[in-house]
Structures are given as C-alpha cells and as structure tokens.
Amino acid sequence: MSAAPATLFTDLRAVLPGDALLIREEELRPYECDGLTAYRALPLAVALPHTVEEVVNVLRLCRARGVPVVARGAGTGLSGGALPHAEGVVLSLARFNRILEIDPLARSARVEPGVRNLAISEAARPYGLYYAPDPSSQIACTIGGNVAENSGGVHCLKYGLTVHNVLALEALTIEGERLTLGGRAADAPGYDLLALLMGSEGLLAVVVEATVRLLPLPQCARVLLAAFDSVVTAGNAVGAIIAAGVIPAGLEMMDRLAVEAAEDFVHAGYPRDAAAILLCEVDGDEQEVAAALARVQEILKHAGARELCVARDEAERQLFWKGRKAAFPAVGRLSPDYYCIDGTIPRSKLAEVLTRIAELSREHGLRVANVFHAGDGNLHPLILYDANTPGELARAEALGAAIMELCIAVGGTITGEHGVGVEKINQMCVQFTPAELEQFHAVKRAFDPAGLLNPGKAVPTLARCAEYGRIHVHRGELRFPDLERY
Amino acid sequence: MDTADQSAAIVARVREAAAAHTPLMISGSGSKNFLGRRVTGIPLAVGGHRGILHYVPEELVLSARAGTPLADIETALATRGQMLAFEPPSFGTAATLGGTIAANLSGPRRAYAGAARDFVLGCRIVNGKSEILHFGGEVMKNVAGYDLSRLMAGAFGTLGVLLEISLKVLPRPEAETTLVCERDETSAIELMNRWAGRPLPLSATAWSEGRLYVRLSGPAPAIAAAAAGLGGEHLPRAEEFWRDLREHTGAFFTDPRPLWRLALPSTAAPLALDGPGIVTWGGMQRWVKTGVPADQVRARTAAAGGHATLFRPARDASPAEDPFTPLTPALQHLHQRLKAAFDPAGILNPGRLYAGI
Ligand SMILES: Cc1cc2nc3c(=O)[nH]c(=O)nc-3n(C[C@H](O)[C@H](O)[C@H](O)COP(=O)(O)OP(=O)(O)OC[C@H]3O[C@@H](n4cnc5c(N)ncnc54)[C@H](O)[C@@H]3O)c2cc1C
Ligand SMILES: Cc1cc2nc3c(=O)[nH]c(=O)nc-3n(C[C@H](O)[C@H](O)[C@H](O)COP(=O)(O)OP(=O)(O)OC[C@H]3O[C@@H](n4cnc5c(N)ncnc54)[C@H](O)[C@@H]3O)c2cc1C
C-alpha cells in the first residue's frame, strides 16, 4: 500500500467511527459496481457515515487532499454512476434511512437520502397518500439515487418524473457547505438549482435530505392488456391513444421475448403468442375510469389490437403489473448477461425504431428483448449476451451504441432515466456539440472547481470525444460541417 | 401569424456586446418590465424572432421561437383541443413565450398541474460567449447532461438569450366548473389543503373577500360527481373570474399600494399584514396589497417558511432596489459562479435578478 492511502485512512478514521470505514478488500468488494456489472473497480475506501456532520467532514477531508468522492445510494443504477473511482472514496448514504416527517395536510414527506423509494409510499399510505415516481427498482433504490438520476417509473406519464415531485433538497458541496434548494414554498428565489440537481448524477453536490410531494391515492385504478400481432401495430396504437387526448396513468409495452420471459418467471397471464402487448392503466373515480376504459378499448380495437382484456380485480391488476416490474430479472434468466439501453424517442417514431432495432439485432447476432415506457417514448431494449464468450461484451456494446445513435438520429436522446454514467459517455459526444459539452463542464466547475465529485462520469472531455472519433450529428447530418474535427 | 428567424442577428449583437463589455437588456415585448430590478444596458429586442416551428398534437409537444406571442401559441393549441397547462399570465396581448419562460410565470392551475418550468422540455439559447447551444429536446424524458433548459426558467435572461423553447402541452379538459362558498381565510386555507389530499379533479383554488373559489376540470361525469360532493354554488362567468386573477385585472389589483407576492407552504396560517389579500394555488401563493415596509414583509414571510417578492411597486413609485428575496451568502456565491459559467463578461441582463449576477 502506498503512503498516500495510509495517511488518508488515518485522516478518515479521525472523523468517522470505527464501523463507518471499510478498507479491506473483501469489505470493498460489494461496492465494486452498481447495476451495470460490466464495469467494476475497487475504491480505496468506503465511508458509511451516520450523521450529516460526518458527511461534511469526509467531504472536507477529501477536498483538502484532492481525493475523488463517489456518492452511493443502493447501487441499483444502470449506467455505472456509482462505479467507484480507483483512487477515491465511496460515500455511502445507506445509513440515512429515516423518514423524518410526514405532513398529511401539506402532503409532503421529509426524508433522509438513503430512504428507499417504496418506503415513502408505504409510510404515506395510512394517510391516503403516496409518492408517485415508481421505478421498477423501487423496493431497493433510494431517493438520493432517484434525485441524482431524475428517475421515472410506469406512472410518470401522468404524474411526472422525480423533478416534478421533489419540493426541496438539502445538499452539501464538495467544500462541505450546506445548501437549501427549493422549499415547501413554491418557486424559490434565484436560479432553479433544485431542477439543476435532478439528474446531475452526483457530480454537483451530495443530497443529505429531500422533501417530496405526496399525492392522494386514486379512488380506483384499472389496467387493460392489449395483444398485438406485430410490434409496429402496437407502436402505432400508443400514438393513437395519446392523440385521442387520453393520458393514461401508465402505458407500457413488452415484445414477445420479454412477454415469454415474464410469463415463465411470474405467470402474469400474458398471451405468449402475441408479438407485443400493451399494458394501459387508467385511474380516477369509478365513472371516469369506466369511461376512459371504454374509450381506450375503442381506440385499441381500431388500431388493430388482436385481444383486449381488462384485469378483473385488484389481484389480477397487481399480477399484470408484477409481470412488467419483474421483466428485467425475468429477461436476466434467459441469458447469462443483459445490457439495458435507455433511449427516448418521439412517440411517432416507435414503430420505425422498433423495426430498425430488430434489424440491428440480427446484424449484430444478439437477441434483444423490448420492455418499456411506451407512453413516454422511453425505450429499454435489453441486449442478451454472455460475458464469458470472448467478444460478446464488445458486440453488445457495439449494438447498444448503434441503438443509442439511432435514437439521436430520430430526434431523441441517449438516456431517458438511467443517466449517462460511464456507460453512455461516448454517445454524449454524438448528442452534443463541443460548445455544449464545454457549457456542462463550466456548470460543473461552478459547483466543484477541483472536479472531485464523481469525476469521469456523465460529461466526456473533448479529448475523449476526439478519441471516440464520432462527433455531434443531428438527424443524420453533421450540424456544424465547418467545425474543426477533434 | 408572422415568422422570422433573427438568430444570426441576435448572435451578432451578443458577440459585439461581449467583445465591448457592454451590457444588453433583453426584451420580449417589455410587458414584464415592472417586475424585477432595472437593467441598464443596450436594448436587445428579441420579440421579432418569432414563429411556431414544430407542433405535433399527438406528441404533446410544441416548439416555437422565443419571440412568438403567447397569444399565437394559445390559439394554435386551442384549435387542436390542447393548452399550456401552467396557464401563464400574459399581462397584455404582446407577451412572448421567451419572457414567460424567462420569468417562470404560471397561472391558477400551477398548484395542480405544475409551473412553467415543469413543462420545459428543451431550448436553444445564445450564451454570453455568443455560442448557440441546444439542451433537452422534444422528448418527454431526457437526462443526457445537466438539465440546463429548465435552469433557464426563472433566470430572467441572465444566463442566456432564449432562441427556441420546446414545451410539453396537454389536452384541454372536457369540462370545467367553478364552485364558490363563504369562508374566512383560515378555514379556506385548511379546506384547500384537505381537498388537495383527496383524489378530486381540482384545477384552481382561490380565496378573496370572504369567498372560497374552487375550479374542477376533467371528464364531465367526474366533474359532476365531485361538484355534488363539495357543495357550494356554481359561479357564473367563471372564466372571467380566473382570467382577472391571472392577468391582475380584477379590482383588487387597482389598489395603489405595492403588490407583494408571498410564496408560502400551503398550510401556513394567514400572515395578517395590514392590507387586502388574495390566496391562490391551494394556499401556496398569496397576493397582498400593503404599505408595510419591505423588511417586515420579508421577515414575517420567512418566519412562516416562505419568501416574498415585491411584484409591483406602489403606483408612481420607482422600481424597488431588491424586489426578490435576497439569497443566503452560500447561494449568492454559487449564483455568481453559475452566471460566470454562462456569461463570463456579465453582459446578459446584468442585475435584473440580483445585483452582481
Ligand atoms: C431491476 C432494475 C429496474 C430499474 N428500473 C428503473 C425504472 O423503472 N426507472 C428508473 O428511472 N430507473 C430504474 N432503474 C435504475 C435505478 O434503480 C435508478 O437509477 C435509481 O434511481 C438508482 O438509485 P440508487 O439508490 O440505487 O442509486 P445508486 O445506483 O447508488 O447511484 C446512482 C447515482 O446517484 C448518485 N447518488 C446516489 N445517492 C446520492 C446522493 N445522496 N447524493 C448525490 N448523488 C447520489 C450516485 O453517485 C450515482 O451517480 C432500475 C434498476 C434496476 C436494477
Ligand atoms: C405578474 C406580472 C404582472 C404584469 N402585469 C402587467 C400589466 O398589468 N401590464 C403590463 O403592461 N405589463 C405587465 N407585466 C409585464 C410583463 O411583465 C411583461 O411585459 C411580460 O412578462 C412579458 O412578456 P414579454 O415578452 O413582454 O417579456 P419581457 O417583459 O420582455 O421580459 C420578461 C423577462 O424575460 C427576459 N426575456 C424576454 N425574452 C427573453 C428571451 N428571448 N431570452 C431571454 N430572456 C428574455 C427579459 O429580459 C425580462 O427579464 C406583468 C408582468 C408580470 C410578471
């Protein structure tokens, strides 16, 4: 061990209790990756503070010594956002797991950053309230991670993303300075730094408390399952629903491979022979739901649905959703490894993009299962591969890159909710111009001049873009053809 | 509707200003000049840069140049049964999309549908280095890079000149009705909060002169059922009532005293400042006409967990030195660094929001 870590450990021990510092390799191992297991690294140390004061001290110490800090919630991220830095400290917020206050009249909850997403809704339920953004990982993922990724879920089509449902944050800069962003009063003075922190992937500040908005539980919710003979028809049906002025509470799509996997795993009652299914949930009062269901059924029949089935009761509704929420692990059983893409596209391009993904899948010789937030146009193609077969990971990455660049070409984005992390950093060079990337770096420097919070993630250096050899394209064309190429 | 692309001219103006270190005062139509601090600078009129660029109703997205009159956008949306769900005030017929977003102005629906910033999907700006930058896009979910488009909402043009803005739009509700009943301010605030905790199709609430108003929007049967459960009387000409409140054209707003906007936690008790008041946004926004000195208004609002904006100075008075609630030193410092990150020469609306940024 070099001298630098040895004195770092001594310094960390001085500000942390004995149970709050991990440095032995076997203790560090569980932190070597997040949900994107293809990338791994061991940090120098993991800090597991109990108090905000301890977090402040760890940050100040790392700032003074120039040591990188990677904040970590539950490690369920899918872009390598919480991947450790080999010369850095992982700052786990896992022990900050208390719900500090629920104010039923004001419909808000004040929670520590390590509180699990689902725990908030469970605590709010006795008051007839819930926290709307519901990522499929909600049993495990933390509100701090949700803020850092601006996470979404199946109900975001109607109720918004994390950014629409968080009222206030307490955050620490790398200097250990505490900032209050937003507030229980609307439209906080000055720049909207609350919005800026959403999706900032732990690069700007460390969240130590969040106040979230709670919504009344809908009186009634019903889900409808529609089966289609082709993904193109299903994709067009999504557009037809939105065009008719209906905003369902959720509108999700799964293709045959995903349906079969989910059926084998949880027996949700999906039709195995369908090329694609749509799950469409409507909520509101009884009459409103009945009217909306009738309307959606009409639209879907028109749009070519082969089979329509409304969940009979709450148990069947839960079962239909269970299949969707378990889709990732279900697909995971089909193959030793899978790689989840997260592009978002204009809804009108769904059919075209799904067709092209199928072609790309054949060209790259890897299977792709599709399961995604169709109402928002947020795709999750799952690329199946085997990391132990030489070359397969590289092929999976090449296919992933091709899908992301397809999303950009049709006017979309490389990531809708999982973040850039380390995974999509090269594609950032394609989506943004050098001047735009430089503006991101300038914002980062305004918060963290030394670049110590989660370095190397989210925004590529221009040098890295030059190395990747691809530069910004817009709808298939170079936007600044006269610009110097890196 | 006229359209014109003036982005090249705007970029040239910003480039010259940056080179010469001469501040620019960005103006849409100038309809909100009363709001905020006064800028000394060479006027940069962006109202001529206008036109709807892309509107696809089935995508729920509209993109337009920043100088497009809000009225043109609302007309285009209405013909397709859609709307800007944050119900922005226009304060006159000339208000532009850019000014509305730069000031993050939202109307009565704010508490139930979201603020202007919640509907921003993307924008194209010119920063203080005269670079055209594009952030976000026309899709519903996008976390590639920092959310710099939403950051422009409420920045009053101090971080960049807005060229184009993409917004999420929503279908118009099928039916709308407003109920009214007699209530004192305290019980009205409590009721607004209790209602919001139930799954009701609320779209606006207000309390004024001893009367509590609630607007319901949605499918006709849901409105009828909710209205039957809430009681109260149906308000005739309700559209006029909400428009007067949104546009500040009602009798209350003609009072010559300064107009304060108090943003408070929705459940905060009435502040009892000397002067008439209106409660809106489910209790989150309170308008007060009062001669109470600014520091006292601020202190009492802060004690209740909120912040106060001197929205309009007293009639015939000059603009206030500090209309917005001052920032904490830590936040002020961060604002200065962010300002420098976008506008190193300090030429875009300097001092519009706070001195020094
Ligand atoms: C099976 C499965 C299903 C998923 N489904 C969805 C889904 O439906 N929708 C969706 O959006 N995502 C989904 N995800 C992705 C993931 O769960 C989310 O990104 C989640 O928000 C990550 O939370 P976490 O606590 O695990 O964060 P981590 O993975 O620990 O960290 C994620 C990022 O947040 C930063 N961070 C964590 N805590 C803090 C903090 N307190 N302050 C500052 N930065 C912090 C980290 O540095 C890192 O950059 C899924 C993941 C899995 C494995
Ligand atoms: C609550 C309220 C009440 C008002 N009441 C009245 C009234 O009763 N009568 C009246 O005549 N006016 C009124 N106004 C004035 C009104 O303020 C503005 O005229 C209106 O906001 C503006 O739209 P605009 O396009 O005219 O914006 P402007 O007033 O021109 O601009 C508003 C702000 O946005 C900035 N801005 C504008 N366009 C851009 C852009 N493209 N890029 C970057 N920044 C930009 C400006 O610099 C300014 O800081 C009111 C304003 C408010 C907020």
Side-chain angles (χ1 to χ4, degrees), chain B residues 25-35 46 66-67 89-92 94-100 102-103 105 156-157 160-163 247-248 287 311-312 349 352:
Chain B
M25 186 190 86
I26 309 162
S27 148
S29 72
S31 75
K32 281 138 203 124
N33 286 346
F34 64 93
L35 179 66
V46 293
S90 52
F91 303 117
T96 64
L97 176 62
T100 301
L105 292 177
F156 280 86
V161 184
L162 291 161
L163 289 181
E247 300 294 334
H248 291 185
W287 296 106
F311 205 79
R312 226 182 269 260
N349 270 357
R352 179 77 165 89

Side-chain angles (χ1 to χ4, degrees), chain A residues 164, chain B residues 60 62 83-87 101 104 106 109-110 112-122 137 140 150 153 165-170:
Chain A
H164 302 110
Chain B
L60 305 179
L62 180 142
M83 62 175 185
L84 295 175
F86 54 100
E87 216 178 348
I101 297 302
N104 189 28
S106 318
R109 209 177 293 269
R110 158 71 164 96
Y112 310 97
R117 60 86 103 161
D118 290 306
F119 293 88
V120 173
L121 296 176
M140 294 297 138
R150 222 179 287 281
I165 298 152
S166 298
L167 294 174
K168 177 177 182 178
V169 300
L170 284 179

Side-chain angles (χ1 to χ4, degrees), chain A residues 184-186, chain B residues 262-271 281 283-286 300-307:
Chain A
R184 287 179 52 217
Chain B
L262 315 183
L264 287 164
S266 62
T267 50
L271 287 199
W281 294 5
M284 293 198 308
Q285 177 175 260
R286 323 242 176 126
R300 300 208 14 216
T301 312
H307 55 91

Side-chain angles (χ1 to χ4, degrees), chain B residues 42-133:
Chain B
I42 303 170
L44 173 63
V46 293
H49 180 64
R50 55 172 65 186
I52 294 174
L53 297 168
H54 191 221
Y55 171 39
V56 192
E58 48 281 12
E59 295 282 339
L60 305 179
V61 173
L62 180 142
S63 296
R65 295 198 181 101
T68 312
L70 212 46
D72 287 5
I73 292 175
E74 285 176 335
T75 306
L77 291 171
T79 59
R80 302 300 301 266
Q82 296 188 333
M83 62 175 185
L84 295 175
F86 54 100
E87 216 178 348
S90 52
F91 303 117
T93 52
T96 64
L97 176 62
T100 301
I101 297 302
N104 189 28
L105 292 177
S106 318
R109 209 177 293 269
R110 158 71 164 96
Y112 310 97
R117 60 86 103 161
D118 290 306
F119 293 88
V120 173
L121 296 176
C123 65
R124 197 177 298 280
I125 66 164
V126 184
N127 68 7
K129 299 196 277 181
S130 71
E131 296 165 330
I132 294 187
L133 309 175

Side-chain angles (χ1 to χ4, degrees), chain A residues 429-446:
Chain A
C429 311
V430 185
Q431 186 162 334
F432 293 98
T433 64
E436 288 158 356
L437 295 173
E438 179 44 35
Q439 186 65 72
F440 289 142
H441 287 301
V443 167
K444 162 79 169 165
R445 284 193 298 271

Side-chain angles (χ1 to χ4, degrees), chain A residues 116-141:
Chain A
R116 292 173 304 110
N117 173 295
L118 187 60
I120 303 175
S121 288
E122 284 168 351
R125 177 168 273 279
Y127 306 101
L129 301 169
Y130 75 114
Y131 176 62
D134 55 345
S136 306
S137 51
Q138 68 183 149
I139 305 175
C141 65

